[in-house]
Amino acid sequence: MKILIVDDDKEIVQLLSIYATNEGYEPIAAYSGKEAITKLATNPDTALMILDIMMPNMSGIEVVKEVRKDNQIPIIIVSAKTADMDKIQGLITGADDYVTKPFNPLEVMARVKSLLRRSEGQVQNTTPDTLEVGPLKINKDSHEVVTLTGKQIQLTALEFGILYLLASHPNRVFSADEIFERVWQQESIVSAKTVMVHVSHLRDKIEEATGGEKVIETVWGVGYKVEG
C-alpha cells in the first residue's frame, strides 16, 4: 500500500519513510507541493498522503485544495504551526487529520492506520448495508452517498464515517468525544474542534447537494444527531 510523504525537509521524509516501511507500507517521497501533485498523478493507487504545510512555492494548504478537486485520498497534515486556527484551516480545506511538529513517528503511523481503516470501510457493526435518512441514501460497502434525486456527494473517509455513525443511530446524540473515538478509532484528545470542523464541512456538502436540507442537527452543549 503506497503512502505519499511530502516535506521539504529531507530528514523528516526519510524518518517517516523508514517507519512506513517498517509498518509494511510503500513510501513515495516528494519534497515540494508541485512534486507531490505530480507523484500523486503518476501513482493513482496511492492510499494516503502525509503533508507538510510550510513549503516554498506551493504550500501544503494549496496542495490539499488542488487534490480535493477530484481526489478524496486521506490526508494527514504535519506542521510546525500549532495554533488552533492553523489546524482548523487545514481541516476546513479538506485534510483529515493534523499532527504538530515535533512529533512521535509512532503516533503518525497510528493515525495512518486509523485513517486507512476508515477509507477501507472496515465498519464494525450490524447495521444495514444501505441506509436512508432524510434526502440521502448511504451505502456502507461502497461508501457512496447519493440524494434521492440521484446526485452523488463526494465525501472523505472521515466525513462518511461521521455521517454513517449518526445515520445508523437515529435520534441518538453523540458527543464530539464519542464521534472522535468511534470514527477516528483513537482515544479522544482535544477532539471537539476537529469533529466540529469535519461536521461543518459535511453539512456544507449535504446542503449544497440537497438544496439546503439540514440532515445533521446540533444539540447545543451535548453533541450531534440525525433525526429518525
Side-chain angles (χ1 to χ4, degrees):
M1 190 175 291
K2 295 179 181 178
I3 295 178
L4 179 57
I5 302 172
V6 189
D7 200 308
D8 59 339
D9 187 328
K10 293 187 177 181
E11 290 186 1
I12 289 179
V13 173
Q14 183 179 28
L15 176 64
L16 289 174
S17 295
I18 291 171
Y19 276 82
T21 300
N22 289 342
E23 294 292 340
Y25 302 120
E26 179 184 343
I28 302 170
Y31 303 103
S32 69
K34 291 183 178 179
E35 186 181 5
I37 297 298
T38 300
K39 289 286 183 71
L40 188 59
T42 55
N43 294 273
D45 56 339
T46 300
L48 180 142
M49 180 188 297
I50 301 173
L51 177 67
D52 183 34
I53 284 185
M54 299 175 66
M55 295 184 292
N57 300 321
M58 187 178 192
S59 71
I61 294 296
E62 292 173 308
V63 172
V64 175
K65 290 179 180 178
E66 184 65 26
V67 170
R68 283 291 179 255
K69 289 179 181 179
D70 57 9
N71 194 324
Q72 299 303 315
I73 181 176
I75 299 174
I76 299 175
I77 285 178
V78 180
S79 176
K81 291 187 174 183
T82 60
D84 285 343
M85 286 308 302
D86 293 318
K87 297 179 182 180
I88 290 171
Q89 181 186 12
L91 295 171
I92 288 176
T93 304
D96 296 282
D97 206 349
Y98 194 111
V99 179
T100 56
K101 297 178 181 178
F103 56 80
N104 184 331
L106 291 175
E107 178 191 356
V108 177
M109 289 301 112
R111 292 175 184 246
V112 166
K113 292 177 183 178
S114 177
L115 279 174
L116 290 176
R117 282 197 298 269
R118 298 268 54 80
S119 65
E120 291 166 2
Q122 297 177 358
V123 180
Q124 303 298 322
N125 56 46
T126 58
T127 51
D129 290 342
T130 302
L131 298 173
E132 289 193 20
V133 54
L136 305 178
K137 291 183 179 181
I138 307 166
N139 188 294
K140 179 176 73 175
D141 292 333
S142 65
H143 272 214
E144 289 182 336
V145 179
V146 297
T147 67
L148 296 182
T149 59
K151 185 174 182 178
Q152 188 166 356
I153 305 176
Q154 296 292 335
L155 301 180
T156 66
L158 290 175
E159 289 166 355
F160 182 89
I162 293 170
L163 178 60
Y164 192 86
L165 173 65
L166 298 178
S168 59
H169 298 83
N171 301 314
R172 176 178 170 181
V173 180
F174 285 87
S175 68
D177 286 343
E178 287 180 296
I179 292 173
F180 190 89
E181 289 174 0
R182 289 193 180 217
V183 176
W184 274 255
Q185 294 188 356
Q186 299 175 29
E187 182 180 353
S188 175
I189 303 175
V190 195
S191 59
K193 290 182 179 179
T194 298
V195 172
M196 177 190 70
V197 171
H198 281 82
V199 169
S200 176
H201 210 193
L202 174 58
R203 278 175 167 156
D204 289 344
K205 290 182 178 182
I206 292 172
E207 291 179 18
E208 181 180 356
T210 62
E213 294 203 40
K214 299 184 183 300
V215 173
I216 300 174
E217 296 186 17
T218 299
V219 180
W220 293 106
V222 183
Y224 306 93
K225 71 173 183 176
V226 164
E227 290 284 356

